[in-house]
Amino acid sequence: GSSPTGPKVPMVRANRILRHSTMEQRQLRDETKARAAAAELGLDPAPKKEPKPSMLTQEMRLEEAVRTEERSREEFKALQSQEDERRRSRRQRRRVMYNGPRIRFVSRLCADAGAEPLIGGRPGVENSVEFIDCSFEEICGGTSNSG
């Protein structure tokens, strides 16, 4: 049979649709062949690109490593200072002082662990209640005279 006349569609071949990646690979292969043929004929091939990382010399790799290390250190310092600033601002926001009357419960370890603990206490632990800017009577609503 004869082939239909008109422009060919590059993506269709033998009733089959080719993937885009396959077409790219073929184009790359064709370009490589064309460059090799031009080099054999002595024609000036396309301008050379930057050497690939695998083709870098030892000295070039060391220079790149130094640049990368410097850039990494600068980024690390910037990140660290941002985190420090964030921590400082969080601390400042959290610590709002309350200056009114309050009750503080204090629990600490005692050096004298042999003493008998108070009722409900644990051996070696001293518990206390502090009334700040107020008195026990104020908190409890006055003194109670039961008896």
Side-chain angles (χ1 to χ4, degrees), residues 40-101:
E40 285 180 17
L41 296 174
L43 299 175
D44 188 22
K48 293 185 179 181
K49 296 179 183 175
E50 187 75 22
K52 294 182 181 177
S54 61
M55 299 176 73
L56 295 176
T57 64
Q58 184 70 19
E59 186 177 331
M60 292 169 75
R61 288 181 184 185
L62 289 173
E63 290 171 357
E64 182 63 27
V66 168
R67 285 193 298 270
T68 303
E69 181 68 23
E70 288 172 357
R71 188 172 50 245
S72 295
R73 283 188 180 171
E74 289 171 3
E75 290 173 0
F76 176 71
K77 286 178 183 178
L79 183 65
Q80 205 169 24
S81 66
Q82 287 175 355
E83 288 178 1
D84 289 345
E85 183 62 35
R86 210 174 295 135
R87 276 191 216 111
R88 270 188 245 116
S89 66
R90 258 193 244 138
R91 250 187 250 136
Q92 290 170 355
R93 275 187 259 141
R94 259 190 233 157
R95 299 207 177 175
V96 176
M97 293 296 287
Y98 176 74
N99 293 324

Side-chain angles (χ1 to χ4, degrees), residues 2-14:
S2 69
S3 63
T5 59
K8 289 186 177 181
V9 179
M11 296 295 279
V12 178
R13 181 174 171 206

Side-chain angles (χ1 to χ4, degrees), residues 127-141:
N127 298 308
S128 63
V129 178
E130 297 176 6
F131 296 93
I132 302 168
D133 294 335
C134 62
S135 66
F136 178 74
E137 291 79 20
E138 292 173 14
I139 300 298
C140 293

